[in-house]
């Protein structure tokens, strides 16, 4: 099956610094990647949808300047948490959508997630 | 806006009991439907998916789900649960037109041995 690699799996950073999280589709081309955030004991919250070569579409309430998303190629999307604060501590998960030629069907595969702790 | 509802937030069952987790969505157009499972300490894994065809879909580990278009539902079932099924289950709906994958709130299942 398709593999999505998310790196790093865990990161601890100081308040005010920036952290970059990478999401790679290893054996397929992902035209669309989704970034989610999971708060403790809660469901996944969609943060943004990124399409290769275009600007990401952010969900309401998600700060574009704080959570920078870049989808520069069909196999890589990055999420950068800028000027991180303790309240940004969370579990971030990316998902890549497989686009099948001549088909509207789609399937999403998930990275392993990144546990961000801001101290 | 598209939304996905999972009505059961917490479910506790004994081993060998039957399971049904509800999932309803609000979008009226063409959708792809998924059930994911997250075992403790692990990442999300796909249990099963529906794109088209037979509305009764069979997935891994004995799970199945039925798509009922008229009810906008995609309930997950398993005839006999095991302790190892303890996990959190997420229903997700992909809206082709809006290019959006939306998750339900999740259902935490605990199976008592």
């Amino acid at each position: 099956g398709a593999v999505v690699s998310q790196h790093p799996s865990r990161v601890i950073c100081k308040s005010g610094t920036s952290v970059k999280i990478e999401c790679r589709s290893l054996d397929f081309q992902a035209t669309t990647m989704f970034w989610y955030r999971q708060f403790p004991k809660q469901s996944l919250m969609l943060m943004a949808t990124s399409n290769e070569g275009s600007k990401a579409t952010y969900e309401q309430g998600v700060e574009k300047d704080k959570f920078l998303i870049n989808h520069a190629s069909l196999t890589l999307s990055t999420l950068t948490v800028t000027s991180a604060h303790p309240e940004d501590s969370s579990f971030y998960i990316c998902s890549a959508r497989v686009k099948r030629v001549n088909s509207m069907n789609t399937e999403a595969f998930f990275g392993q997630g990144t546990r961000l702790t801001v101290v | 806006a598209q939304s996905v509802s999972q009505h059961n937030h917490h479910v506790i069952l004994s081993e060998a009991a039957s399971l049904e987790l509800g999932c309803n969505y609000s979008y009226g157009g063409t959708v792809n439907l998924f059930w994911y499972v997250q075992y403790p300490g692990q990442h999300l894994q796909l249990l099963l998916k529906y794109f088209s065809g037979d509305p009764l879909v069979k997935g891994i580990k004995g799970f199945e789900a039925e798509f009922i278009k008229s009810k906008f539902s995609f309930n997950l079932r398993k005839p006999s649960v095991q302790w190892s099924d303890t996990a959190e289950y997420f229903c997700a709906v992909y809206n082709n037109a809006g290019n959006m994958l939306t998750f339900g709130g999740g259902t935490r299942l605990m199976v008592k041995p």
Side-chain angles (χ1 to χ4, degrees), chain A residues 108 110, chain B residues 4-8 19-24 32-38 44-50 57 59-60 63-67 73-77 88-93 101 103-108:
Chain A
F110 289 85
Chain B
V4 181
S5 298
Q6 290 181 241
H7 311 294
N8 314 104
L19 169 72
E20 180 160 3
L21 301 182
C23 174
N24 286 88
N32 301 145
L33 302 161
F34 308 86
W35 274 98
Y36 291 92
V37 60
Q38 186 173 24
L44 284 172
Q45 301 172 45
L46 181 67
L47 267 182
L48 48 78
K49 61 191 178 188
Y50 172 80
V57 180
I60 61 171
F63 286 92
E64 64 178 31
E66 184 175 13
F67 171 49
S73 70
F74 190 55
N75 292 355
L76 180 71
R77 299 194 292 250
E88 189 155 16
Y89 293 81
F90 293 92
C91 177
V93 176
L101 180 64
F103 281 83
T107 298
R108 197 173 291 273

Side-chain angles (χ1 to χ4, degrees), chain A residues 36 43 51 97 106-108 110, chain B residues 36 49 51 94 101 103-104:
Chain A
Y36 297 86
S43 178
N51 293 295
R97 181 174 77 97
T106 185
E107 187 169 345
F110 289 85
Chain B
Y36 291 92
K49 61 191 178 188
F51 289 163
Y94 183 80
L101 180 64
F103 281 83

